Amino acid sequence: MTDGRWRAWIDERFPLDDVLESLRHKRVPHHRYSIWYYFGGMTLFLFLIQVGTGALLLLYYRPSATEAYESVQFIVSRVPFGWLVRSIHAWAANLMVASAFAHLFSVLFLHAYRRPRELTWISGFLLLLLTLGFGFTGYLLPWNEVSFFATRVGTDIAATVPVVGEGLLRFLRGGDDVTGATLTRLFGFHVAVLPAVATALVAFHLLLVQRHGMSVPPSIEQRAADPGTVRSIPFLPHFLLRDLFAWTAVLAALAALATFFPWELGAKADPFAPAPAGIRPEWYFLWAFETLKHVPPTVAGLSGEVVAVAAMGLGALAALLLPLLAGESPRARSVVVWAGAAALLFLSVMTGLALRAAAP
Amino acid sequence: MTHAEEPARRGVLNWLLGLWGGGVLASIVYPVARYLAPPDIPEAAALSTNAGSAQALAPNSGRVVPFGARPAIVIRTPAGELRAFSATCTHLDCTVQYRPDLQRIWCACHNGEYDLNGRNVAGPPPRPLDPYDANVTGDEIVITRRA
Amino acid sequence: MTTVRWCDGAMVRRCARQCVVQRCALVACLLLAADARAQTTADAAAAAFKDDVHAAAGLACSACHRSAAAGMYDAPARTATAPLCATCHGDAAYMRKFDPQLRVDQFAQYRTSGHGKRMEAGDGRVATCNDCHGAHGVRRVRDARSPVAPLNVVATCGRCHGDAARMALFGRQATAPEEWSASVHAAALVKRGDTSAPTCVSCHGSHGATPPGVASVANVCAQCHLREAELFRASPKRDIFEALGQAECLVCHGNHRIESPPDSWVGVQEGAVCTQCHDATGDSGAAIVDIRRRLDGLQAALSAADAILTRAEHAGMLVDEGRLALQTAREHQVQSRALVHAFAAAPFAKTADEGLAAARRAHEAGEAAMRELQVRRQGLGVATLLVLAFLVTLWAKIRRLPPA
């Protein structure tokens, strides 16, 4: 049989059968929280969409202050389906951030970071930071008015970091101010540095997931008479088909969003124009933006902004090292749940406040 | 339902799944293929545009050409030099034109005049015209926006 | 010869006291009571003079207060002011020392003005140099703080010409400044900051201020509105208006309150300016109706094109080509409105038709964008149906998978 011959040919050179065999035996726990298992795969799917549409945009995009805006305008107005590709790239970026956050909080609340999945959590958290980095660096690339001023404000925050702030600011901007140099720099990060790091981290993250399998939440484990007897379904085809279902649905939603709410291009950035009213960052940075607005000018003799940035940095560090900080006891787990809930509440309230301030 | 019907039904299901899946794939592949095919206008006229034949532009004459969404004017001075400017009058956004009798760039709306360097020299215009670079490749005048 | 280069406050006060001493005792007593006020006036004059263009040129009080050497600092008589200023400002050789470009014809012009003629006849109530330029704080005209700078000159003229009681003495109306404030010219100057926009002096002159004569109105307006003036002069209207003694542009546009002329001015119905002479009868009536119809048609086409382009833009479409065509149409509208001044149907119709064609192109671009939007939505509809069918089948498939 031809099929068999091909399989044999490949198997001799690449252990395809082993991979398929292990996948065939892979099982995914099935319980009332299993829906949260899909957000990791969803984030990965959206990442792949970003890679695909990003590569397509690269065919026409030009990373320079004089041409960036015009090239994006060209993409959305002259290139067939350019409007679709650009809008999907912009919308999928937002959905990806949302999906990554959902994944993070579900893992947190279901305690999936526990031993031996500490490295999975850490790599995952780093991937979330990378996702935000993608968002920040990609935002400036159309070189329009809002993105220009939002980048100026966003990079300003970097300057408040003690000691290295000034250097960090100059590093991000490629100079003292946001200019064409910043654009090429952020472009480089967005299409080369970040994707390279992200791909490696995704591979590592997936390898670990593969190695350890899906974590079963402690509450489910306890309810099951014997920890080994939690109900599960095969990865192939049961879980994968459900994944496929969710991916296809999201793809349709993306197409609809891109068609009915095309991502606005706005006016070209003019570095010498005064900042227009209502400049604000992307929604996933709003909480930080709002927090900085509310801190008093000085806290305990230090600049309030510095204190806030330091606190956010410490918070992020604590979140990164969560599996190492949190113990195994049920008590420690409830502390994690409360801390996670508090963080979620803080992020939601701050984002809500910022959105309310922005609404006319 | 008998056991004989079950595999047949599954066969139909798989066939349908393949059909619709193919349709979904096609609706992804089609836009991507169209996107990849080079568009009619190969690049954005952001920085430069073709302004027609250099030969055809006699000394002491001018020509208005579209440059992006706005007009530009390319003139040949009586001395034979090519110059290009934004053709949008700085007074009220009318399109300016070349007046051979005045040897000036002239706006018909309120009699604004600009000299051959684009400076506002008479009438209401408050500012000079934005200058562009005009070069000739072959016989084609190429107007370039200064970065 | 000793010259006093600066009059500081103390010195001016001293001069003022000397004036007082030289008068008889009784008057001195009365005046001493007013000394405080005299001092403030003197102080104010001294302070203002520090910033005076004449002080900067090195002139002292005595340059104008000719009897200063004798301690007399009386203000020159109003009728003597202009001749006094002219002793320097009419002397080309003298003025050249300060600024070779300065004009020296102001007094000669002033003598031809309404103000100058009355003043020369001994009527001191009319304006003279210091009424507009100030006395002790004279600044260059191009200094924005000068009372005769473009943004200030209307208020300066308006101090008298907007004062009904004062103008009543001369049997004149005091409405001009207020009327001007409602004009397009005022809007250009005040709102857009276009300092080349016409103020009082642009049409009336400054030193030679006088209303332009009937025949010279078109010349005055043509300083900026050359195209309209050229068309008007070449039209049969010019001779007709001249024969009737009508003041050209003013017949339709009025004088101080120049408004943006609406298309409805053209026509034979009520509110149209043509009805001053024309009615619907005859060739002229038909021509007027035809011009109005084309003006309205062009405006309607422009509005419709703008509306559809805006709709397309709001839906996220880029319609640059449509906008460019709309811009062209707008220009043709501006030009066709100018061509109304040719008072002939043919040249007007050509430009108006070109504008209409451009507006149609813009409209078509907008329609094409809306069609494209429709196509996109239909495409999305087809794709969504396919996805839905796929999802339903997939779900059925998942439900039918063998139990785990």
Side-chain angles (χ1 to χ4, degrees), chain A:
Chain A
M1 207 167 138
T2 329
D3 192 32
R5 280 225 330 259
W6 276 112
R7 287 282 285 276
W9 192 90
I10 289 172
D11 214 44
E12 200 183 335
R13 287 150 184 88
F14 182 81
L16 190 63
D17 270 347
D18 291 359
V19 175
L20 287 178
E21 195 57 26
S22 70
L23 280 179
R24 214 166 281 141
H25 289 293
K26 183 178 159 67
R27 292 185 78 82
V28 179
H30 195 70
H31 48 78
R32 62 196 179 111
Y33 300 125
S34 337
I35 177 110
W36 297 107
Y37 288 144
Y38 294 93
F39 279 89
M42 181 58 66
T43 314
L44 178 64
F45 174 68
L46 289 166
F47 177 70
L48 294 178
I49 287 191
Q50 291 305 77
V51 172
T53 50
L56 288 177
L57 289 174
L58 270 179
L59 298 186
Y60 297 104
Y61 177 73
R62 296 183 175 182
S64 79
T66 44
E67 288 183 292
Y69 179 83
E70 283 80 3
S71 66
V72 176
Q73 204 170 39
F74 180 73
I75 290 173
V76 298
S77 62
R78 298 272 179 273
V79 182
F81 290 99
W83 58 275
L84 184 67
V85 174
R86 192 219 164 204
S87 271
I88 286 192
H89 194 73
W91 273 110
N94 285 281
L95 294 193
M96 182 177 163
V97 173
S99 162
F101 267 109
H103 185 44
L104 174 107
F105 278 103
S106 66
V107 166
L108 182 97
F109 289 128
L110 297 177
H111 306 287
Y113 53 83
R114 287 167 304 151
R115 198 170 73 97
R117 297 186 177 82
E118 293 95 332
L119 286 180
T120 321
W121 167 275
I122 291 173
S123 61
F125 192 82
L126 291 177
L127 277 170
L128 176 76
L129 294 185
L130 280 180
T131 307
L132 296 181
F134 271 118
F136 185 78
T137 53
Y139 196 48
L140 181 68
L141 300 190
W143 199 246
N144 55 13
E145 209 174 29
V146 262
S147 74
F148 176 82
F149 286 103
T151 305
R152 197 183 252 180
V153 175
T155 44
D156 258 337
I157 295 174
T160 57
V161 176
V163 191
V164 295
E166 274 305 311
L168 191 62
L169 179 79
R170 281 183 51 81
F171 171 75
L172 282 173
R173 288 182 173 177
D176 288 324
D177 208 343
V178 177
T179 58
T182 322
L183 182 70
T184 36
R185 186 162 282 243
L186 293 193
F187 173 73
F189 287 132
H190 190 79
V191 305
V193 181
L194 294 181
V197 180
T199 307
L201 265 178
V202 166
F204 179 64
H205 193 74
L206 285 178
L207 188 73
L208 289 177
V209 171
Q210 211 50 44
R211 177 82 182 75
H212 299 302
M214 296 296 202
S215 153
V216 179
S219 57
I220 303 286
E221 242 171 15
Q222 278 160 16
R223 213 162 299 160
D226 169 17
T229 62
V230 175
R231 242 187 91 204
S232 67
I233 54 170
F235 179 75
L236 273 179
H238 293 63
F239 190 80
L240 194 63
L241 284 184
R242 285 174 165 85
D243 253 347
L244 184 63
F245 185 89
W247 295 348
T248 316
V250 163
L251 193 63
L254 273 177
L257 282 172
T259 308
F260 286 102
F261 306 99
W263 207 260
E264 266 186 53
L265 184 53
K268 185 176 178 172
D270 176 3
F272 303 110
I279 278 299
R280 57 202 179 101
E282 292 272 68
W283 61 268
Y284 39 86
F285 290 123
L286 276 181
W287 62 273
F289 177 72
E290 189 69 16
T291 308
L292 287 175
K293 270 207 309 210
H294 286 285
V295 287
T298 52
V299 177
L302 288 166
S303 153
E305 235 179 37
V306 173
V307 173
V309 170
M312 285 182 214
L314 281 178
L317 191 66
L320 176 70
L321 301 177
L322 174 80
L324 307 178
L325 298 174
E328 284 287 324
S329 66
R331 215 185 132 72
R333 283 211 290 274
S334 78
V335 170
V336 167
V337 167
W338 282 111
L344 189 58
L345 186 72
F346 174 74
L347 295 184
S348 320
V349 167
M350 280 303 165
T351 308
L353 279 178
L355 286 176
R356 230 183 64 166

Side-chain angles (χ1 to χ4, degrees), chain B:
Chain B
M1 163 191 333
T2 66
H3 284 281
E5 277 171 12
E6 185 65 10
R9 191 170 288 206
R10 195 173 298 160
V12 170
L13 205 58
N14 283 343
W15 183 81
L16 269 180
L17 204 58
L19 180 71
W20 301 136
V24 172
L25 268 185
S27 52
I28 297 169
V29 169
Y30 174 71
V32 171
R34 288 286 311 277
Y35 181 92
L36 290 174
D40 303 335
I41 311 154
E43 61 179 340
L47 284 178
S48 63
T49 191
N50 289 346
S53 160
Q55 286 274 303
L57 192 65
N60 198 24
S61 70
R63 182 188 294 156
V64 174
V65 294
F67 189 2
R70 303 222 134 219
I73 185 168
V74 54
I75 60 167
R76 196 185 277 282
T77 65
E81 212 181 317
L82 276 178
R83 289 186 191 151
F85 305 94
S86 154
T88 306
C89 180
T90 53
H91 178 225
L92 285 181
D93 289 351
C94 289
T95 300
V96 297
Q97 54 187 289
Y98 188 74
R99 278 274 296 260
D101 52 336
L102 299 172
Q103 297 197 356
R104 277 187 175 166
I105 300 167
W106 178 71
C107 178
C109 289
H110 293 92
N111 198 32
E113 287 177 25
Y114 303 86
D115 67 11
L116 298 177
N117 292 308
R119 278 198 304 260
N120 48 323
V121 285
R127 277 181 294 108
L129 295 171
D130 292 336
Y132 298 146
D133 288 328
N135 293 300
V136 179
T137 53
D139 184 40
E140 190 80 24
I141 304 174
V142 178
I143 301 180
T144 319
R145 191 164 291 165
R146 292 180 186 171

Side-chain angles (χ1 to χ4, degrees), chain C residues 13 17 31-43:
Chain C
R13 258 197 311 281
R17 289 223 181 78
L31 281 172
L32 272 170
D35 186 36
R37 202 178 62 216
Q39 269 184 30
T40 32
T41 322
D43 275 347

Side-chain angles (χ1 to χ4, degrees), chain C residues 14-36:
Chain C
R14 206 166 58 241
C15 299
R17 289 223 181 78
Q18 282 174 356
C19 301
V20 167
V21 171
Q22 285 167 349
R23 285 190 174 29
C24 75
L26 181 63
V27 176
C29 280
L30 290 171
L31 281 172
L32 272 170
D35 186 36

